[in-house]
Amino acid sequence: MLDYIQPRENASSRNDQTQQEIQNFLLAVRSYPDRAAKDPGLTFRQHLCTFLAIIDDRPRRS
């Protein structure tokens, strides 16, 4: 019996996804000081999770 093997993503797709994740992280880093000034108890981790959730809810570009 053969096991089902998922097709590999192509390298370009993985690179694009990685670049987008890096850009999102850097945007979170840049936006943290302003957000922390408004909410001093906010950790970067909390900000990052909220920031990424908001980014994930945005409509995707084609």
Side-chain angles (χ1 to χ4, degrees):
M1 183 158 143
L2 295 175
D3 289 329
Y4 176 76
I5 299 174
Q6 292 183 347
R8 287 197 208 182
E9 293 180 59
N10 65 36
S12 177
S13 175
R14 285 192 310 262
N15 286 341
D16 291 346
Q17 181 180 358
T18 300
Q19 288 298 317
Q20 188 60 54
E21 290 173 3
I22 291 168
Q23 290 305 313
N24 290 344
F25 181 82
L26 292 174
L27 286 171
V29 168
R30 285 193 292 264
S31 64
Y32 179 64
D34 289 338
R35 178 88 190 277
K38 295 174 188 169
D39 185 0
L42 184 73
T43 66
F44 176 74
R45 183 180 190 138
Q46 291 168 326
H47 172 66
L48 179 62
C49 290
T50 303
F51 184 87
L52 293 177
I54 291 168
I55 292 293
D56 284 345
D57 286 343
R58 288 190 324 194
R60 303 270 193 273
R61 281 193 209 163
S62 300

